[in-house]
Amino acid sequence: MEKRKNMEWEQKTLTSELTQGKELAKQLMNYLHPSASQEKRDFLISKILFSYEKALSLLKRDVGSDGESNHIPNTMLESPTSFGNGSPMSEISDQDCKNKNVFKKRKTMPRWTEEVKVFSGTGLDGSLDDGYSWRKYGQKDILGATYPRGYYRCTHRGTQGCLATKQVQKADADPSTMVVTYRGEHTCSQVLQLARSSALSLAKQASTGNQNATREAEKPKASQEMSFGFGAGLRVKTEDLDTREDDIFPSFSFPSTLIEPENVGDHIFCATLMDGYSPAFASPAATFEPDYLQAVSPCQMSSFGLGLDYVQTSESGLSEIISAPTSVTNSPIGDFGFSLDDLDFHHFENPESFAYES
DNA sequence: AATATTTGACCATC
DNA sequence: GATGGTCAAATATT
């Protein structure tokens, strides 16, 4: 029924992504000549990467073998056999499904979440923009809570099947504090593409040493929004790390492959921060090279140059406390003027240098 | 069963 | 018409 539909859809998406990756790779072959546009190559490469990351994301979600991923929607748990032929899940027999050991963990740990507490100052409130576009789909008075909880999903759910959602709620104690809980990963290309152009720009500057080369080029909308939303001096704090292995080293879709596990260990903050976002610069070993194009999520961008602490919460999530401590006005974007283009390059080489703010 | 989350229809605004 | 909010009902979770 509903779940079946969902899974069929995911399989379609998976096939589509893989097919697209294949087609893009074919296209790339036509641009292999040195005379061909490097930019086009870069573009194709990053598109291919994205396609595969998205496909992997779907697979992880579906297969989710023990420890590998606990980011499994409950909707996937109840009728695993309804997967079509060829699907990884079709390998799982009915008996397996009845074996509690197989799915027990998933039952108790439904979805992975990321929580963000946003201490917004006056004037920013719930409209605080995290760079993604959301559509509100519900609101509910929560028992014991003073303020209602708003439910949002990614605008690109329909078009790109992005399953990310978030909940926004004012903190009981402090109405000026917003508690934002993120659920699911963004698989939409919105952020990726916005960020890519900027990353490309930066990479070029770095490689050529020409600071002005692409300055005019792209000021990604996302980073501008971020500067608007978070620019008023965000603060994020880290607190109670969950002890569950899966949560400390969450598996993740996007360019998580770029993080070597050992490096993740060294930077739990970064690893968890990037969980759900793009961890391109999470690893201390991650170098930033022109042909190493990666997406930068708005969250990351916001973290560059702005003190951010992130909070891993008990609910297998990541929390982020963002505060606008002082007078906050609805300053226009330009007032903050923050964008990747304005960042010093060393920020990328020393992720930890900007990650914390004690 | 109670509560939380999502859906889907409807409406408003640009 | 595209986009996004509201709200009751349906569904999922605890």
Side-chain angles (χ1 to χ4, degrees):
Chain A
M1 4 185 274
E2 192 66 38
K3 289 152 196 164
R4 179 177 211 112
K5 224 169 84 182
N6 186 28
M7 280 181 280
E8 281 169 0
W9 175 86
E10 288 201 14
Q11 206 186 342
K12 259 189 198 169
T13 310
L14 183 60
T15 306
S16 153
E17 286 300 327
L18 288 172
T19 306
Q20 193 185 348
K22 185 179 157 190
E23 290 305 316
L24 288 166
K26 276 185 188 170
Q27 286 183 44
L28 181 59
M29 286 182 69
N30 298 326
Y31 287 89
L32 287 181
H33 304 290
S35 57
S37 154
Q38 174 69 32
E39 235 175 78
K40 180 70 179 177
R41 273 200 294 269
D42 290 339
F43 179 70
L44 286 171
I45 288 171
S46 45
K47 279 198 79 170
I48 291 169
L49 283 175
F50 177 66
S51 277
Y52 278 94
E53 290 295 349
K54 193 170 172 182
L56 281 171
S57 156
L58 280 169
L59 268 178
K60 280 185 189 172
R61 212 184 282 276
D62 295 353
V63 177
S65 55
D66 258 15
E68 170 62 21
S69 170
N70 60 335
H71 304 164
I72 300 151
N74 280 5
T75 51
M76 303 301 293
L77 306 179
E78 318 233 336
S79 54
T81 51
S82 63
F83 253 89
N85 45 354
S87 147
M89 288 301 271
S90 61
E91 308 255 336
I92 297 172
S93 70
D94 243 18
Q95 203 174 7
D96 287 338
C97 297
K98 280 163 190 163
N99 180 349
K100 283 182 182 175
N101 289 331
V102 173
F103 294 109
K104 183 180 169 188
K105 200 171 179 181
R106 299 186 214 169
K107 288 251 181 190
T108 52
M109 296 192 291
R111 310 170 181 180
W112 65 280
T113 66
E114 297 175 3
E115 294 186 3
V116 180
K117 291 177 187 173
V118 182
F119 291 87
S120 66
T122 47
L124 275 180
D125 62 46
S127 66
L128 192 131
D129 200 330
D130 54 12
Y132 295 102
S133 49
W134 302 96
R135 164 155 189 187
K136 188 172 184 175
Y137 64 82
Q139 175 166 313
K140 175 136 192 4
D141 289 321
I142 300 303
L143 206 75
T146 314
Y147 305 98
R149 177 178 298 167
Y151 298 89
Y152 298 80
R153 66 179 177 226
C154 181
T155 301
H156 305 104
R157 189 193 198 90
T159 52
Q160 299 178 35
C162 181
L163 295 176
T165 63
K166 75 169 179 180
Q167 302 171 359
V168 181
Q169 189 175 10
K170 276 186 188 178
D172 288 344
D174 179 12
S176 68
T177 298
M178 305 297 295
V179 179
V180 183
T181 303
Y182 288 94
R183 289 194 165 188
E185 315 144 357
H186 277 278
T187 53
C188 58
S189 57
Q190 173 201 21
V191 168
L192 211 57
Q193 296 192 338
L194 288 171
R196 182 183 296 120
S197 59
S198 189
L200 178 60
S201 166
L202 256 184
K204 278 185 175 168
Q205 287 179 33
S207 64
T208 63
N210 180 357
Q211 299 294 313
N212 302 318
T214 53
R215 201 156 254 290
E216 296 298 317
E218 319 91 339
K219 289 235 174 188
K221 193 179 160 219
S223 73
Q224 289 183 343
E225 286 170 354
M226 288 307 291
S227 66
F228 173 68
F230 290 160
L234 328 174
R235 220 139 59 354
V236 191
K237 264 192 195 151
T238 333
E239 62 188 29
D240 60 350
L241 275 171
D242 196 294
T243 52
R244 278 183 306 191
E245 46 185 349
D246 295 332
D247 296 328
I248 293 179
F249 304 110
S251 68
F252 173 57
S253 62
F254 269 172
S256 59
T257 49
L258 299 173
I259 301 182
E260 302 296 329
E262 53 269 28
N263 291 330
V264 170
D266 291 337
H267 288 271
I268 289 174
F269 153 76
C270 285
T272 53
L273 157 61
M274 299 318 168
D275 184 53
Y277 303 106
S278 76
F281 306 106
S283 160
T287 54
F288 194 71
E289 296 170 355
D291 53 344
Y292 186 69
L293 290 181
Q294 267 309 330
V296 181
S297 81
C299 282
Q300 275 177 282
M301 293 195 261
S302 75
S303 67
F304 295 140
L306 294 169
L308 292 182
D309 294 320
Y310 284 77
V311 179
Q312 175 97 32
T313 57
S314 54
E315 183 48 34
S316 72
L318 160 73
S319 284
E320 184 185 340
I321 299 176
I322 305 170
S323 62
T326 51
S327 62
V328 176
T329 58
N330 275 326
S331 306
I333 292 165
D335 281 6
F336 294 110
F338 172 80
S339 85
L340 271 180
D341 291 345
D342 298 322
L343 294 172
D344 289 336
F345 188 69
H346 73 268
H347 280 138
F348 294 107
E349 296 171 344
N350 305 292
E352 58 272 65
S353 69
F354 60 84
Y356 298 99
E357 182 207 72
S358 71

PDB file of all heavy atoms in Angstrom, chain A residues 207-240:
ATOM      1  N   SER A 207      43.977  27.752  -6.850  1.00  0.00           N
ATOM      2  CA  SER A 207      44.942  27.126  -7.737  1.00  0.00           C
ATOM      3  C   SER A 207      45.665  28.141  -8.609  1.00  0.00           C
ATOM      4  O   SER A 207      46.820  27.986  -8.933  1.00  0.00           O
ATOM      5  CB  SER A 207      44.247  26.082  -8.611  1.00  0.00           C
ATOM      6  OG  SER A 207      43.306  26.725  -9.436  1.00  0.00           O
ATOM      7  N   THR A 208      44.982  29.178  -8.954  1.00  0.00           N
ATOM      8  CA  THR A 208      45.598  30.146  -9.843  1.00  0.00           C
ATOM      9  C   THR A 208      46.211  31.309  -9.087  1.00  0.00           C
ATOM     10  O   THR A 208      47.020  32.037  -9.615  1.00  0.00           O
ATOM     11  CB  THR A 208      44.571  30.726 -10.818  1.00  0.00           C
ATOM     12  OG1 THR A 208      43.585  31.424 -10.057  1.00  0.00           O
ATOM     13  CG2 THR A 208      43.904  29.629 -11.617  1.00  0.00           C
ATOM     14  N   GLY A 209      45.804  31.445  -7.882  1.00  0.00           N
ATOM     15  CA  GLY A 209      46.304  32.556  -7.108  1.00  0.00           C
ATOM     16  C   GLY A 209      45.671  33.865  -7.525  1.00  0.00           C
ATOM     17  O   GLY A 209      46.003  34.913  -7.026  1.00  0.00           O
ATOM     18  N   ASN A 210      44.777  33.763  -8.416  1.00  0.00           N
ATOM     19  CA  ASN A 210      44.107  34.965  -8.886  1.00  0.00           C
ATOM     20  C   ASN A 210      42.867  35.239  -8.037  1.00  0.00           C
ATOM     21  O   ASN A 210      41.859  34.572  -8.130  1.00  0.00           O
ATOM     22  CB  ASN A 210      43.705  34.784 -10.343  1.00  0.00           C
ATOM     23  CG  ASN A 210      43.011  36.021 -10.873  1.00  0.00           C
ATOM     24  OD1 ASN A 210      42.794  36.977 -10.140  1.00  0.00           O
ATOM     25  ND2 ASN A 210      42.672  35.984 -12.142  1.00  0.00           N
ATOM     26  N   GLN A 211      42.963  36.197  -7.210  1.00  0.00           N
ATOM     27  CA  GLN A 211      41.876  36.467  -6.288  1.00  0.00           C
ATOM     28  C   GLN A 211      40.657  37.071  -6.969  1.00  0.00           C
ATOM     29  O   GLN A 211      39.564  37.027  -6.469  1.00  0.00           O
ATOM     30  CB  GLN A 211      42.345  37.398  -5.180  1.00  0.00           C
ATOM     31  CG  GLN A 211      43.478  36.822  -4.357  1.00  0.00           C
ATOM     32  CD  GLN A 211      43.027  35.621  -3.571  1.00  0.00           C
ATOM     33  OE1 GLN A 211      41.983  35.645  -2.935  1.00  0.00           O
ATOM     34  NE2 GLN A 211      43.803  34.548  -3.599  1.00  0.00           N
ATOM     35  N   ASN A 212      40.912  37.679  -8.110  1.00  0.00           N
ATOM     36  CA  ASN A 212      39.794  38.381  -8.727  1.00  0.00           C
ATOM     37  C   ASN A 212      39.129  37.595  -9.842  1.00  0.00           C
ATOM     38  O   ASN A 212      38.097  37.983 -10.338  1.00  0.00           O
ATOM     39  CB  ASN A 212      40.289  39.710  -9.300  1.00  0.00           C
ATOM     40  CG  ASN A 212      40.910  40.558  -8.222  1.00  0.00           C
ATOM     41  OD1 ASN A 212      40.373  40.621  -7.128  1.00  0.00           O
ATOM     42  ND2 ASN A 212      42.031  41.183  -8.511  1.00  0.00           N
ATOM     43  N   ALA A 213      39.748  36.509 -10.170  1.00  0.00           N
ATOM     44  CA  ALA A 213      39.307  35.780 -11.340  1.00  0.00           C
ATOM     45  C   ALA A 213      37.810  35.536 -11.369  1.00  0.00           C
ATOM     46  O   ALA A 213      37.130  35.874 -12.321  1.00  0.00           O
ATOM     47  CB  ALA A 213      40.053  34.453 -11.439  1.00  0.00           C
ATOM     48  N   THR A 214      37.320  34.969 -10.315  1.00  0.00           N
ATOM     49  CA  THR A 214      35.918  34.574 -10.343  1.00  0.00           C
ATOM     50  C   THR A 214      35.097  35.301  -9.309  1.00  0.00           C
ATOM     51  O   THR A 214      34.027  34.900  -8.940  1.00  0.00           O
ATOM     52  CB  THR A 214      35.796  33.067 -10.092  1.00  0.00           C
ATOM     53  OG1 THR A 214      36.497  32.768  -8.902  1.00  0.00           O
ATOM     54  CG2 THR A 214      36.357  32.297 -11.261  1.00  0.00           C
ATOM     55  N   ARG A 215      35.656  36.345  -8.845  1.00  0.00           N
ATOM     56  CA  ARG A 215      34.974  37.050  -7.768  1.00  0.00           C
ATOM     57  C   ARG A 215      33.562  37.472  -8.152  1.00  0.00           C
ATOM     58  O   ARG A 215      32.642  37.444  -7.353  1.00  0.00           O
ATOM     59  CB  ARG A 215      35.784  38.272  -7.371  1.00  0.00           C
ATOM     60  CG  ARG A 215      35.453  38.765  -6.002  1.00  0.00           C
ATOM     61  CD  ARG A 215      36.616  39.533  -5.434  1.00  0.00           C
ATOM     62  NE  ARG A 215      37.322  38.800  -4.421  1.00  0.00           N
ATOM     63  CZ  ARG A 215      36.820  38.552  -3.239  1.00  0.00           C
ATOM     64  NH1 ARG A 215      35.619  38.902  -2.943  1.00  0.00           N
ATOM     65  NH2 ARG A 215      37.520  37.914  -2.335  1.00  0.00           N
ATOM     66  N   GLU A 216      33.468  37.896  -9.372  1.00  0.00           N
ATOM     67  CA  GLU A 216      32.161  38.356  -9.815  1.00  0.00           C
ATOM     68  C   GLU A 216      31.231  37.206 -10.129  1.00  0.00           C
ATOM     69  O   GLU A 216      30.027  37.389 -10.235  1.00  0.00           O
ATOM     70  CB  GLU A 216      32.323  39.220 -11.061  1.00  0.00           C
ATOM     71  CG  GLU A 216      33.106  40.506 -10.815  1.00  0.00           C
ATOM     72  CD  GLU A 216      32.399  41.388  -9.810  1.00  0.00           C
ATOM     73  OE1 GLU A 216      31.168  41.525  -9.912  1.00  0.00           O
ATOM     74  OE2 GLU A 216      33.070  41.936  -8.923  1.00  0.00           O
ATOM     75  N   ALA A 217      31.841  36.091 -10.336  1.00  0.00           N
ATOM     76  CA  ALA A 217      31.098  34.966 -10.886  1.00  0.00           C
ATOM     77  C   ALA A 217      29.843  34.602 -10.113  1.00  0.00           C
ATOM     78  O   ALA A 217      28.749  35.016 -10.456  1.00  0.00           O
ATOM     79  CB  ALA A 217      32.004  33.740 -10.989  1.00  0.00           C
ATOM     80  N   GLU A 218      30.008  33.842  -9.082  1.00  0.00           N
ATOM     81  CA  GLU A 218      28.813  33.385  -8.407  1.00  0.00           C
ATOM     82  C   GLU A 218      28.866  33.668  -6.922  1.00  0.00           C
ATOM     83  O   GLU A 218      29.804  33.338  -6.249  1.00  0.00           O
ATOM     84  CB  GLU A 218      28.623  31.872  -8.583  1.00  0.00           C
ATOM     85  CG  GLU A 218      28.936  31.380  -9.941  1.00  0.00           C
ATOM     86  CD  GLU A 218      30.383  30.957 -10.054  1.00  0.00           C
ATOM     87  OE1 GLU A 218      31.205  31.408  -9.227  1.00  0.00           O
ATOM     88  OE2 GLU A 218      30.694  30.190 -10.953  1.00  0.00           O
ATOM     89  N   LYS A 219      27.876  34.278  -6.477  1.00  0.00           N
ATOM     90  CA  LYS A 219      27.656  34.371  -5.035  1.00  0.00           C
ATOM     91  C   LYS A 219      26.473  33.487  -4.757  1.00  0.00           C
ATOM     92  O   LYS A 219      25.341  33.871  -5.002  1.00  0.00           O
ATOM     93  CB  LYS A 219      27.335  35.808  -4.636  1.00  0.00           C
ATOM     94  CG  LYS A 219      28.530  36.711  -4.738  1.00  0.00           C
ATOM     95  CD  LYS A 219      28.757  37.405  -3.416  1.00  0.00           C
ATOM     96  CE  LYS A 219      30.049  38.204  -3.458  1.00  0.00           C
ATOM     97  NZ  LYS A 219      30.400  38.722  -2.158  1.00  0.00           N
ATOM     98  N   PRO A 220      26.759  32.313  -4.311  1.00  0.00           N
ATOM     99  CA  PRO A 220      25.669  31.346  -4.180  1.00  0.00           C
ATOM    100  C   PRO A 220      24.571  31.861  -3.287  1.00  0.00           C
ATOM    101  O   PRO A 220      24.821  32.414  -2.230  1.00  0.00           O
ATOM    102  CB  PRO A 220      26.347  30.124  -3.562  1.00  0.00           C
ATOM    103  CG  PRO A 220      27.655  30.605  -3.063  1.00  0.00           C
ATOM    104  CD  PRO A 220      28.024  31.811  -3.828  1.00  0.00           C
ATOM    105  N   LYS A 221      23.406  31.651  -3.758  1.00  0.00           N
ATOM    106  CA  LYS A 221      22.244  32.102  -3.025  1.00  0.00           C
ATOM    107  C   LYS A 221      22.233  31.523  -1.623  1.00  0.00           C
ATOM    108  O   LYS A 221      21.912  32.186  -0.656  1.00  0.00           O
ATOM    109  CB  LYS A 221      20.995  31.666  -3.772  1.00  0.00           C
ATOM    110  CG  LYS A 221      19.737  32.334  -3.297  1.00  0.00           C
ATOM    111  CD  LYS A 221      18.572  31.833  -4.146  1.00  0.00           C
ATOM    112  CE  LYS A 221      17.260  32.046  -3.456  1.00  0.00           C
ATOM    113  NZ  LYS A 221      16.344  30.955  -3.650  1.00  0.00           N
ATOM    114  N   ALA A 222      22.643  30.288  -1.582  1.00  0.00           N
ATOM    115  CA  ALA A 222      22.596  29.615  -0.291  1.00  0.00           C
ATOM    116  C   ALA A 222      23.441  30.340   0.739  1.00  0.00           C
ATOM    117  O   ALA A 222      23.013  30.571   1.852  1.00  0.00           O
ATOM    118  CB  ALA A 222      23.074  28.179  -0.433  1.00  0.00           C
ATOM    119  N   SER A 223      24.619  30.704   0.351  1.00  0.00           N
ATOM    120  CA  SER A 223      25.476  31.325   1.341  1.00  0.00           C
ATOM    121  C   SER A 223      24.959  32.699   1.703  1.00  0.00           C
ATOM    122  O   SER A 223      25.142  33.168   2.808  1.00  0.00           O
ATOM    123  CB  SER A 223      26.903  31.414   0.818  1.00  0.00           C
ATOM    124  OG  SER A 223      26.987  32.402  -0.175  1.00  0.00           O
ATOM    125  N   GLN A 224      24.321  33.300   0.761  1.00  0.00           N
ATOM    126  CA  GLN A 224      23.757  34.604   1.086  1.00  0.00           C
ATOM    127  C   GLN A 224      22.628  34.447   2.085  1.00  0.00           C
ATOM    128  O   GLN A 224      22.500  35.203   3.027  1.00  0.00           O
ATOM    129  CB  GLN A 224      23.234  35.268  -0.183  1.00  0.00           C
ATOM    130  CG  GLN A 224      24.368  35.707  -1.097  1.00  0.00           C
ATOM    131  CD  GLN A 224      23.845  36.427  -2.298  1.00  0.00           C
ATOM    132  OE1 GLN A 224      22.668  36.331  -2.607  1.00  0.00           O
ATOM    133  NE2 GLN A 224      24.708  37.146  -2.970  1.00  0.00           N
ATOM    134  N   GLU A 225      21.866  33.437   1.840  1.00  0.00           N
ATOM    135  CA  GLU A 225      20.778  33.206   2.778  1.00  0.00           C
ATOM    136  C   GLU A 225      21.327  32.871   4.153  1.00  0.00           C
ATOM    137  O   GLU A 225      20.800  33.256   5.168  1.00  0.00           O
ATOM    138  CB  GLU A 225      19.904  32.062   2.281  1.00  0.00           C
ATOM    139  CG  GLU A 225      19.048  32.480   1.120  1.00  0.00           C
ATOM    140  CD  GLU A 225      18.376  31.306   0.465  1.00  0.00           C
ATOM    141  OE1 GLU A 225      18.673  30.177   0.839  1.00  0.00           O
ATOM    142  OE2 GLU A 225      17.561  31.547  -0.425  1.00  0.00           O
ATOM    143  N   MET A 226      22.401  32.141   4.107  1.00  0.00           N
ATOM    144  CA  MET A 226      22.999  31.783   5.373  1.00  0.00           C
ATOM    145  C   MET A 226      23.490  33.009   6.096  1.00  0.00           C
ATOM    146  O   MET A 226      23.320  33.159   7.283  1.00  0.00           O
ATOM    147  CB  MET A 226      24.181  30.835   5.135  1.00  0.00           C
ATOM    148  CG  MET A 226      23.749  29.465   4.705  1.00  0.00           C
ATOM    149  SD  MET A 226      22.563  28.795   5.832  1.00  0.00           S
ATOM    150  CE  MET A 226      23.610  28.554   7.240  1.00  0.00           C
ATOM    151  N   SER A 227      24.094  33.863   5.335  1.00  0.00           N
ATOM    152  CA  SER A 227      24.617  35.038   6.003  1.00  0.00           C
ATOM    153  C   SER A 227      23.475  35.856   6.574  1.00  0.00           C
ATOM    154  O   SER A 227      23.601  36.512   7.580  1.00  0.00           O
ATOM    155  CB  SER A 227      25.437  35.872   5.030  1.00  0.00           C
ATOM    156  OG  SER A 227      24.593  36.399   4.028  1.00  0.00           O
ATOM    157  N   PHE A 228      22.377  35.722   5.939  1.00  0.00           N
ATOM    158  CA  PHE A 228      21.219  36.429   6.462  1.00  0.00           C
ATOM    159  C   PHE A 228      20.687  35.738   7.709  1.00  0.00           C
ATOM    160  O   PHE A 228      20.425  36.354   8.727  1.00  0.00           O
ATOM    161  CB  PHE A 228      20.126  36.468   5.408  1.00  0.00           C
ATOM    162  CG  PHE A 228      18.836  37.030   5.919  1.00  0.00           C
ATOM    163  CD1 PHE A 228      18.759  38.361   6.247  1.00  0.00           C
ATOM    164  CD2 PHE A 228      17.732  36.216   6.087  1.00  0.00           C
ATOM    165  CE1 PHE A 228      17.574  38.890   6.716  1.00  0.00           C
ATOM    166  CE2 PHE A 228      16.552  36.744   6.563  1.00  0.00           C
ATOM    167  CZ  PHE A 228      16.465  38.079   6.872  1.00  0.00           C
ATOM    168  N   GLY A 229      20.576  34.442   7.573  1.00  0.00           N
ATOM    169  CA  GLY A 229      19.961  33.715   8.662  1.00  0.00           C
ATOM    170  C   GLY A 229      20.852  33.563   9.873  1.00  0.00           C
ATOM    171  O   GLY A 229      20.414  33.722  10.998  1.00  0.00           O
ATOM    172  N   PHE A 230      22.088  33.256   9.641  1.00  0.00           N
ATOM    173  CA  PHE A 230      22.964  32.935  10.747  1.00  0.00           C
ATOM    174  C   PHE A 230      23.954  34.041  11.049  1.00  0.00           C
ATOM    175  O   PHE A 230      24.673  33.994  12.010  1.00  0.00           O
ATOM    176  CB  PHE A 230      23.773  31.675  10.427  1.00  0.00           C
ATOM    177  CG  PHE A 230      22.927  30.450  10.417  1.00  0.00           C
ATOM    178  CD1 PHE A 230      23.366  29.315   9.763  1.00  0.00           C
ATOM    179  CD2 PHE A 230      21.698  30.428  11.045  1.00  0.00           C
ATOM    180  CE1 PHE A 230      22.591  28.168   9.752  1.00  0.00           C
ATOM    181  CE2 PHE A 230      20.926  29.278  11.034  1.00  0.00           C
ATOM    182  CZ  PHE A 230      21.374  28.152  10.379  1.00  0.00           C
ATOM    183  N   GLY A 231      23.949  34.990  10.192  1.00  0.00           N
ATOM    184  CA  GLY A 231      25.026  35.953  10.270  1.00  0.00           C
ATOM    185  C   GLY A 231      25.089  36.730  11.565  1.00  0.00           C
ATOM    186  O   GLY A 231      26.112  37.249  11.921  1.00  0.00           O
ATOM    187  N   ALA A 232      24.008  36.756  12.263  1.00  0.00           N
ATOM    188  CA  ALA A 232      23.979  37.588  13.452  1.00  0.00           C
ATOM    189  C   ALA A 232      24.707  36.945  14.615  1.00  0.00           C
ATOM    190  O   ALA A 232      24.309  37.095  15.756  1.00  0.00           O
ATOM    191  CB  ALA A 232      22.544  37.895  13.831  1.00  0.00           C
ATOM    192  N   GLY A 233      25.741  36.259  14.332  1.00  0.00           N
ATOM    193  CA  GLY A 233      26.545  35.703  15.401  1.00  0.00           C
ATOM    194  C   GLY A 233      25.971  34.429  15.952  1.00  0.00           C
ATOM    195  O   GLY A 233      25.418  34.379  17.044  1.00  0.00           O
ATOM    196  N   LEU A 234      26.114  33.402  15.212  1.00  0.00           N
ATOM    197  CA  LEU A 234      25.569  32.146  15.678  1.00  0.00           C
ATOM    198  C   LEU A 234      26.472  31.539  16.709  1.00  0.00           C
ATOM    199  O   LEU A 234      27.645  31.754  16.719  1.00  0.00           O
ATOM    200  CB  LEU A 234      25.532  31.153  14.551  1.00  0.00           C
ATOM    201  CG  LEU A 234      25.324  31.691  13.212  1.00  0.00           C
ATOM    202  CD1 LEU A 234      25.487  30.535  12.283  1.00  0.00           C
ATOM    203  CD2 LEU A 234      23.946  32.202  13.144  1.00  0.00           C
ATOM    204  N   ARG A 235      25.894  30.707  17.455  1.00  0.00           N
ATOM    205  CA  ARG A 235      26.671  29.969  18.406  1.00  0.00           C
ATOM    206  C   ARG A 235      26.127  28.579  18.490  1.00  0.00           C
ATOM    207  O   ARG A 235      24.932  28.373  18.579  1.00  0.00           O
ATOM    208  CB  ARG A 235      26.575  30.629  19.747  1.00  0.00           C
ATOM    209  CG  ARG A 235      27.873  30.545  20.263  1.00  0.00           C
ATOM    210  CD  ARG A 235      28.694  31.403  20.966  1.00  0.00           C
ATOM    211  NE  ARG A 235      28.614  32.067  22.173  1.00  0.00           N
ATOM    212  CZ  ARG A 235      27.610  32.137  22.989  1.00  0.00           C
ATOM    213  NH1 ARG A 235      26.463  31.559  22.703  1.00  0.00           N
ATOM    214  NH2 ARG A 235      27.739  32.777  24.064  1.00  0.00           N
ATOM    215  N   VAL A 236      26.935  27.654  18.446  1.00  0.00           N
ATOM    216  CA  VAL A 236      26.468  26.289  18.539  1.00  0.00           C
ATOM    217  C   VAL A 236      27.287  25.580  19.582  1.00  0.00           C
ATOM    218  O   VAL A 236      28.486  25.778  19.677  1.00  0.00           O
ATOM    219  CB  VAL A 236      26.637  25.556  17.205  1.00  0.00           C
ATOM    220  CG1 VAL A 236      25.916  24.239  17.247  1.00  0.00           C
ATOM    221  CG2 VAL A 236      26.075  26.415  16.115  1.00  0.00           C
ATOM    222  N   LYS A 237      26.627  24.814  20.355  1.00  0.00           N
ATOM    223  CA  LYS A 237      27.334  24.153  21.445  1.00  0.00           C
ATOM    224  C   LYS A 237      27.264  22.650  21.343  1.00  0.00           C
ATOM    225  O   LYS A 237      26.300  22.101  20.872  1.00  0.00           O
ATOM    226  CB  LYS A 237      26.719  24.576  22.773  1.00  0.00           C
ATOM    227  CG  LYS A 237      27.471  25.706  23.402  1.00  0.00           C
ATOM    228  CD  LYS A 237      27.012  25.895  24.809  1.00  0.00           C
ATOM    229  CE  LYS A 237      27.472  27.236  25.337  1.00  0.00           C
ATOM    230  NZ  LYS A 237      26.542  27.720  26.330  1.00  0.00           N
ATOM    231  N   THR A 238      28.262  22.049  21.845  1.00  0.00           N
ATOM    232  CA  THR A 238      28.265  20.596  21.828  1.00  0.00           C
ATOM    233  C   THR A 238      27.884  20.089  23.194  1.00  0.00           C
ATOM    234  O   THR A 238      28.340  20.594  24.186  1.00  0.00           O
ATOM    235  CB  THR A 238      29.663  20.083  21.501  1.00  0.00           C
ATOM    236  OG1 THR A 238      30.293  21.066  20.734  1.00  0.00           O
ATOM    237  CG2 THR A 238      29.585  18.822  20.737  1.00  0.00           C
ATOM    238  N   GLU A 239      27.064  19.109  23.175  1.00  0.00           N
ATOM    239  CA  GLU A 239      26.723  18.511  24.447  1.00  0.00           C
ATOM    240  C   GLU A 239      26.504  17.031  24.281  1.00  0.00           C
ATOM    241  O   GLU A 239      26.702  16.488  23.198  1.00  0.00           O
ATOM    242  CB  GLU A 239      25.488  19.172  25.040  1.00  0.00           C
ATOM    243  CG  GLU A 239      24.260  19.014  24.186  1.00  0.00           C
ATOM    244  CD  GLU A 239      23.109  19.838  24.711  1.00  0.00           C
ATOM    245  OE1 GLU A 239      23.371  20.878  25.326  1.00  0.00           O
ATOM    246  OE2 GLU A 239      21.973  19.428  24.498  1.00  0.00           O
ATOM    247  N   ASP A 240      26.104  16.419  25.327  1.00  0.00           N
ATOM    248  CA  ASP A 240      25.972  14.975  25.457  1.00  0.00           C
ATOM    249  C   ASP A 240      26.028  14.153  24.179  1.00  0.00           C
ATOM    250  O   ASP A 240      25.053  13.947  23.504  1.00  0.00           O
ATOM    251  CB  ASP A 240      24.690  14.636  26.207  1.00  0.00           C
ATOM    252  CG  ASP A 240      23.471  15.164  25.470  1.00  0.00           C
ATOM    253  OD1 ASP A 240      23.652  15.936  24.518  1.00  0.00           O
ATOM    254  OD2 ASP A 240      22.371  14.801  25.859  1.00  0.00           O
TER     255      ASP A 240
END
